[in-house]
Amino acid sequence: LGQLEEQVGEFNAQLDPEALANAALLQSIEELEPAQPMDERQRALQRFVEAGFTPARAEELKAEQDRLALERLFLRDQARREGWLGTERYRDEMQRVEASFEQLRSDLGDDDFDRYLYATGRPNRVVVRDTLTGGPGAQAGLRPGDSIISYDGERVFNTRTLVNETQGGSFGSPTPIEIERDGERMVLYLPRGPLGINMRSAVRKPSG
């Protein structure tokens, strides 16, 4: 026991009390002043970059996103102040703003629009929740978890668009549906019309 106490004393004598105090102080500062988190704008720009856009393009798309948001904001404010919120005029004006959003899709192209939706947190995938027994989807091989990418060559990003697509054309005609399953894309053929599935809109990172 005496030898152990002597060794501990020698070890303590080798330590620099000032260095220990400085180390403790630095640790306290790090605990009190964590790294500053990114602000909301920086996070938004980072999401665009993570979706596959260059930093310069991310700045342009963020500016366009802000422009559309301001249009919606001021339209709603004007309608509320003037008493026509919820009227046919309001719906018509909002459709005009949304038409500008659709123009963005045309300008970007489907693949970049897909990335834009993901970056802004808007639905960009139609996901199969389950298939109805004996329905066209089940018979064609659709499975829960599949993402429907396009219907008859037209990209679909939400359930409303997909339903509209199934209601066009000649009922029962063989129709190609591109899906994504476990990171791989494939094409199935279903008769045009109701798919016989339960589905939901979702936000999923585009592959590639």
Side-chain angles (χ1 to χ4, degrees):
L1 180 59
Q3 288 180 337
L4 181 59
E5 290 177 347
E6 184 178 348
Q7 290 174 356
V8 170
E10 292 176 354
F11 177 74
N12 287 335
Q14 296 173 1
L15 296 178
D16 182 352
E18 184 176 353
L20 288 174
N22 288 337
L25 178 60
L26 287 173
Q27 182 177 4
S28 299
I29 292 175
E30 290 176 354
E31 291 174 351
L32 291 173
E33 298 181 0
Q36 291 296 317
M38 290 188 294
D39 63 27
E40 185 58 36
R41 178 177 178 76
Q42 289 174 316
R43 283 194 292 269
L45 291 172
Q46 184 63 30
R47 286 193 292 268
F48 280 115
V49 172
E50 290 174 353
F53 296 104
T54 66
R57 189 60 170 146
E59 288 280 359
E60 294 174 357
L61 292 173
K62 179 64 172 67
E64 180 63 17
Q65 180 190 15
D66 290 348
R67 185 188 68 79
L68 290 169
L70 282 171
E71 279 201 52
R72 296 186 185 99
L73 177 65
F74 278 96
L75 174 60
R76 191 176 298 112
D77 180 78
Q78 179 186 2
R80 183 179 291 110
R81 288 173 183 274
E82 298 177 0
W84 44 276
L85 184 66
T87 66
E88 184 176 356
R89 176 186 174 185
Y90 177 75
R91 290 190 292 271
D92 289 343
E93 289 293 323
M94 189 58 74
Q95 284 180 358
R96 178 185 58 78
V97 175
E98 293 306 317
S100 180
F101 178 72
E102 288 300 320
Q103 181 60 43
L104 177 63
R105 173 180 177 177
S106 177
D107 294 341
L108 287 175
D110 287 335
D111 289 339
D112 277 353
F113 186 67
D114 187 11
R115 296 185 183 95
Y116 175 89
L117 292 175
Y118 171 77
T120 56
R122 299 180 67 140
N124 65 332
R125 288 291 181 273
V126 176
V127 178
V128 178
R129 297 178 62 184
D130 61 74
T131 59
L132 304 181
T133 303
Q139 293 180 357
L142 280 175
R143 301 177 187 174
D146 287 346
S147 292
I148 298 177
I149 305 299
S150 67
Y151 184 89
D152 197 19
E154 295 294 326
R155 288 290 293 271
V156 294
F157 298 106
N158 54 64
T159 57
R160 176 177 54 82
T161 302
L162 178 56
V163 170
N164 289 340
E165 291 293 333
T166 66
Q167 294 173 345
S170 177
F171 177 79
S173 60
T175 305
I177 298 181
E178 183 181 15
I179 69 168
E180 187 173 64
R181 177 184 297 164
D182 299 327
E184 296 186 3
R185 293 194 180 187
M186 62 187 74
V187 176
L188 305 176
Y189 285 83
L190 281 76
R192 184 177 288 273
L195 301 177
I197 64 173
N198 290 319
M199 55 188 171
R200 62 183 176 89
S201 296
V203 179
R204 287 191 173 179
K205 187 173 183 178
S207 59

